Amino acid sequence: MKKKKIVIALGHHALGTTLPEQKKAAAKTAKAIAGFIKGDYQVVITHGNGPQAGMIHMAMAEFCRIYPEYTATPMSVCSAMSQGYIGYDLQNAIHTELLNCGIYKAVSTVLTQVVVDPYDDAFYHPTKVIGRVMNAEDAELEERKGNHVVEVPGGYRRIMAAPKPLDIIEAESIRALLEADQVVIACGGGGIPVLRQGNSLKGASAIIEKDLAAARLACAVDADLLLILTGVQKVCLRYGTAEEAAVDEMTVSEARSYLEAGEFEAGSMAPKIEAAVDFIGASERRKAVVTRLEGEEPDRMIARGTVIHR
């Protein structure tokens, strides 16, 4: 019998922030992922990297401030560093958990580049806030470099574009590893944003929305299920109000209507619903589930979430 393919998109709650938090969270996450593998799924994992990429960017910026002779580190390189940093903990935790279950299966992290459009409107309207809080002098220096800053409580922070993902450069490698029945970790943090320039790929100063990249990854491997893990058990309508209502399931058509009505918060639940809609498309086979990481039994975790289908 052919195994089902699942793409599991891990949110912040599945990874933590600091190094100790991440190691502890990765061990817990590995138990849930092992449950899917024992359930005979082929598993591809993607993940967020907001706190980690911000930490790396801040550390590299501070290093260059102290040692001006060193070249500043582009955000695309910080993204690549975060993929390796998070992938290292995840693949080791999953490898250990599988061996504890008596399962030998290779786990691989793929350094993944994702193509974006240089004319994407997001480059003209940056929305992703990253890095340390700066004073006015440091913020002015950032703007002189051509970077954008935004005022926040206590000072200023950098703000970056969030273009849509168009193509995954390493898609063929990811499919090959999956067909070899390996567990694959890819497109971390939405992928390393790159621009095509002839035969070359150039890193872009951007942060790709991780949920939309997860949908692109799920399409690339022709997954049956996209599982988006977040901090809530179900998607809610009228979230945060006295009329808040959890949704057990919704169709793609209903999801589009809710998005058009502004039912979901931008940068939070909205991209998750957009990702589900993009992934499912016109397919009767594909489904998406939005829920939180809870327990080690795949069927129960899926049943507790919001199911989106054609």
Side-chain angles (χ1 to χ4, degrees):
M1 184 177 177
K2 188 177 178 181
K3 293 183 178 181
K4 286 188 176 181
K5 294 179 186 175
I6 183 172
V7 169
I8 302 174
L10 304 176
H12 167 65
H13 295 272
L15 290 173
T17 300
T18 65
L19 178 58
E21 282 181 3
Q22 181 172 297
K23 282 187 172 292
K24 184 177 179 180
K28 179 182 177 182
T29 299
K31 291 182 180 295
I33 290 168
F36 283 96
I37 293 167
K38 286 188 286 186
D40 220 23
Y41 281 88
Q42 285 185 306
V43 177
V44 182
I45 301 156
T46 187
H47 57 79
N49 72 341
Q52 292 83 355
M55 176 182 67
I56 292 167
H57 179 267
M58 183 170 64
M60 300 307 290
E62 186 66 12
F63 181 81
C64 290
R65 187 185 66 81
I66 297 170
Y67 301 102
E69 66 271 22
Y70 283 88
T71 304
T73 307
M75 194 62 212
S76 56
V77 175
C78 293
S79 179
M81 290 179 176
S82 74
Q83 284 191 7
Y85 163 48
I86 297 169
Y88 168 68
D89 276 346
L90 269 179
Q91 71 179 42
N92 284 343
I94 295 166
H95 177 76
T96 298
E97 184 59 32
L98 290 177
L99 288 179
N100 289 342
C101 297
I103 300 170
Y104 178 78
K105 190 183 290 286
V107 185
S108 299
T109 299
V110 178
L111 199 65
T112 318
Q113 302 172 96
V114 175
V115 177
V116 297
D117 182 352
Y119 302 107
D120 191 306
D121 190 57
F123 284 108
Y124 305 97
H125 302 93
T127 57
K128 288 285 185 180
V129 179
I130 66 156
R132 66 185 176 92
V133 177
M134 301 176 284
N135 58 32
E137 183 180 356
D138 287 344
E140 186 179 349
L141 286 173
E142 285 295 326
E143 289 188 321
R144 285 180 191 171
K145 296 175 189 174
N147 298 323
H148 299 281
V149 299
V150 63
E151 191 167 1
V152 298
Y156 301 83
R157 293 179 70 188
R158 273 194 69 183
I159 187 168
M160 303 192 73
K164 291 185 177 180
L166 299 180
D167 190 24
I168 298 170
I169 297 297
E170 290 75 22
E172 188 174 340
S173 299
I174 295 166
R175 285 191 292 266
L177 290 168
L178 191 61
E179 290 306 313
D181 207 26
Q182 293 195 26
V183 180
V184 188
I185 302 165
C187 288
I192 305 162
V194 294
L195 305 170
R196 291 190 189 274
Q197 295 187 345
N199 291 333
S200 300
L201 297 171
K202 179 179 173 58
S205 182
I207 297 175
I208 299 170
E209 176 56 63
K210 65 179 177 15
D211 295 312
L212 300 183
R216 182 67 60 177
L217 177 61
C219 289
V221 300
D222 192 25
D224 299 281
L225 178 64
L226 172 60
L227 177 61
I228 301 176
L229 297 177
T230 186
V232 295
Q233 185 169 303
K234 292 181 186 288
V235 176
C236 291
L237 301 178
R238 300 174 294 282
Y239 183 73
T241 71
E243 291 79 36
E244 178 177 306
V247 180
D248 293 327
E249 64 176 298
M250 68 176 85
T251 65
V252 166
S253 177
E254 288 170 334
R256 287 197 183 106
S257 295
Y258 293 140
L259 285 167
E260 289 171 5
E263 186 67 57
F264 307 119
E265 186 180 353
S268 179
M269 187 56 73
K272 293 171 176 54
I273 304 302
E274 288 173 20
V277 169
D278 288 350
F279 166 62
I280 295 167
S283 172
E284 297 290 343
R285 169 176 60 88
R286 294 177 177 179
K287 292 182 180 179
V289 176
V290 180
T291 191
R292 67 182 173 211
L293 181 68
E294 196 170 57
E296 301 168 24
E297 298 180 30
D299 291 342
R300 290 187 63 185
M301 190 189 308
I302 290 170
R304 283 193 291 257
T306 297
V307 179
I308 304 167
H309 55 84
R310 187 67 192 165

